Amino acid sequence: MSRQQETMTRRPIAARSSAWAIALSARLARWGVTPNSISVLSVLFAAIGAWLIGAVDHWLGWLVAAACVQLRLVCNLLDGMVAIEGGRKSKVGAIYNEFPDRIADTLFLVPLGYAADVPWLGWAAALLAALTAYVRVFGGALGQAQDFSGIMAKQRRMAALTIGLVGQAIASLVPAGHWPLTVTAAIIAVGSLVTCVTRTVAIAQALERS
């Protein structure tokens, strides 16, 4: 893949230029850690978070689940840095870059709906989150730069989930039910739908201009 192609398919992340990320990714590359194994590790963190969301109704469980969300994002950051900056790309790297993300989103969002006692909302959030990625990749298949924008792109989606889980940890001390989870699932679902629409419109406009 050329440098231009990498730019078209790589998510812009501000933390990529941070000192800790550069140092950690360089060390992982020196240790021989593969980017694909880091991608798989992100699914493990998501699975732990999913179990905590679905089975442990306790303030500490909610906080650890929120930490798992952030660790998933750290893995998403480091796998690309080890692959590109660390020079450890593989021929199947594109598969590991996409598939674990879709699995991780589903693992987090489906249990969220069940924990909020609104299962369909969790499934809707998971489906719409996957559709945002589908629309992005579809634009790339049409020769356009992949569009990572949107009010509920992955980083914003995970930020909303983290805030919701922390909010639930606080609410569980009152106690005040599971309304933070319901609100979070609804925000992610609606925001993902809007993101699908805005990305699709951007693709159509680009095609009209070409």
Side-chain angles (χ1 to χ4, degrees):
M1 182 181 292
S2 69
R3 178 67 63 178
Q4 182 180 5
Q5 288 174 316
E6 288 175 357
T7 301
M8 291 176 65
T9 59
R10 198 177 190 193
R11 185 184 303 273
I13 303 176
R16 194 176 288 133
S17 59
S18 62
W20 70 267
I22 293 172
L24 182 54
S25 62
R27 179 166 295 184
L28 290 172
R30 288 197 301 271
W31 287 346
V33 178
T34 67
N36 295 346
S37 65
I38 299 173
S39 299
V40 172
L41 182 61
S42 73
V43 177
L44 176 59
F45 284 127
I48 294 171
W51 177 75
L52 290 167
I53 293 170
V56 182
D57 191 357
H58 186 272
W59 68 267
L60 182 57
W62 301 120
L63 291 181
V64 177
C68 287
V69 175
Q70 292 304 304
L71 288 170
R72 175 258 174 118
L73 289 177
V74 170
C75 289
N76 292 162
L77 170 67
L78 294 176
D79 61 0
M81 294 185 69
V82 172
I84 306 301
E85 284 81 0
R88 295 187 61 82
K89 291 188 297 183
S90 71
K91 293 182 179 179
V92 295
I95 295 175
Y96 281 87
N97 190 52
E98 289 292 337
F99 285 13
D101 269 353
R102 308 292 75 78
I103 296 171
D105 274 342
T106 302
L107 285 173
F108 277 126
L109 297 176
V110 171
L112 183 70
Y114 282 94
D117 296 321
V118 192
W120 68 267
L121 191 55
W123 283 102
L127 174 61
L128 290 165
L131 284 175
T132 64
Y134 172 81
V135 174
R136 168 176 57 78
V137 175
F138 180 70
L142 294 176
Q144 301 178 19
Q146 292 194 25
D147 185 0
F148 294 95
S149 67
I151 63 171
M152 205 52 68
K154 181 175 70 176
Q155 273 75 12
R156 294 176 179 176
R157 188 164 62 242
M158 292 298 101
L161 179 58
T162 301
I163 293 170
L165 292 171
V166 172
Q168 183 58 49
I170 296 171
S172 66
L173 295 173
V174 177
H178 296 100
W179 67 265
L181 301 182
T182 305
V183 171
T184 299
I187 289 174
I188 291 174
V190 174
S192 296
L193 176 60
V194 172
T195 299
C196 289
V197 172
T198 56
R199 288 182 180 181
T200 302
V201 170
I203 291 172
Q205 291 175 340
L207 290 173
E208 291 288 349
R209 292 193 299 268
S210 64

